[in-house]
């Protein structure tokens, strides 16, 4: 095979590209986040992006207090008490058939917050994969161990 031949994406890159496309629907002035849950046989189980309930005014419409703050005023991470959106990971999990989560992997376009990680740890998911600036940088195959580490 020559170097000019098209290369096929690996499964992780493929799934993260889907999460990236899903993030384009995100309703946030600070960061658009996407998530996709992929089953053991590489089938899409669920998708989610950050946003408010259907029909409600969202961040892009100026309804979110956190969305009015600069990154200097409210750095990324920390408390999300002033955010009206449901995070991408939560939306993907809410919409998923719980019976299909055993052995599945959730791909997220950025590192999950501690609340999303705690919820994921209480599901049958086997892995969280996330990206930083579009690059796959971390995988955690032991979700419970990761959440214990995050609490320290």
């Amino acid at each position: 095979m020559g170097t000019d031949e098209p290369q096929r994406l690996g499964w992780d890159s493929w799934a993260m590209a889907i999460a990236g496309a899903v993030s384009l629907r995100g309703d946030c002035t600070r960061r658009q986040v996407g998530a996709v849950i992929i089953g053991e046989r590489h089938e899409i189980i669920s998708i989610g992006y950050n946003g408010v309930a259907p029909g409600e005014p969202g961040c892009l419409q100026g309804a979110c207090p956190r969305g009015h703050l600069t990154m200097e005023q409210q750095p990324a991470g920390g408390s999300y008490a002033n955010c009206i959106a449901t995070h991408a990971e939560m939306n993907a999990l809410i919409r998923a058939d719980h019976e299909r989560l055993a052995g599945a992997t959730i791909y997220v376009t950025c590192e999950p917050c501690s609340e999303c990680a705690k919820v994921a740890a209480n599901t049958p998911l086997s892995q969280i994969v996330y990206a930083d600036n579009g690059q796959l940088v971390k995988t955690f195959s032991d979700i419970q161990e990761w959440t214990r580490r995050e609490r320290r």
Side-chain angles (χ1 to χ4, degrees), residues 98-135:
H98 189 78
E99 299 298 319
R100 296 181 64 202
L101 294 180
T105 299
I106 187 167
Y107 292 83
V108 189
T109 57
C110 65
E111 184 173 5
C113 72
S114 61
E115 291 301 312
C116 288
K118 282 193 294 188
V119 170
N122 284 286
T123 70
L125 287 171
S126 67
Q127 190 171 193
I128 296 174
V129 177
Y130 70 89
D132 185 18
N133 293 321
Q135 298 297 311

Side-chain angles (χ1 to χ4, degrees), residues 3-132:
T3 57
D4 292 337
E5 297 291 324
Q7 297 297 309
R8 190 173 189 188
L9 285 177
W11 289 116
D12 286 338
S13 296
W14 171 79
M16 196 58 73
I18 294 169
V22 170
S23 75
L24 298 174
R25 288 283 306 152
D27 181 20
C28 181
T29 59
R30 293 169 56 91
R31 181 188 295 181
Q32 291 178 301
V33 181
V36 62
I37 300 173
I38 303 291
E40 290 181 297
R41 297 178 60 198
H42 310 291
E43 75 279 12
I44 297 171
I45 294 172
S46 183
I47 62 169
Y49 52 86
N50 54 332
V52 298
E56 295 296 320
C59 188
L60 295 177
Q61 295 169 309
C64 183
R66 187 180 180 96
H68 292 286
L69 302 174
T70 67
M71 288 295 193
E72 291 76 32
Q73 293 170 315
Q74 176 77 61
S79 172
Y80 286 89
N82 61 346
C83 177
I84 64 171
T86 302
H87 289 183
E89 306 91 304
M90 297 285 205
N91 273 323
L93 288 167
I94 288 166
R95 289 167 175 75
D97 175 356
H98 189 78
E99 299 298 319
R100 296 181 64 202
L101 294 180
T105 299
I106 187 167
Y107 292 83
V108 189
T109 57
C110 65
E111 184 173 5
C113 72
S114 61
E115 291 301 312
C116 288
K118 282 193 294 188
V119 170
N122 284 286
T123 70
L125 287 171
S126 67
Q127 190 171 193
I128 296 174
V129 177
Y130 70 89
D132 185 18

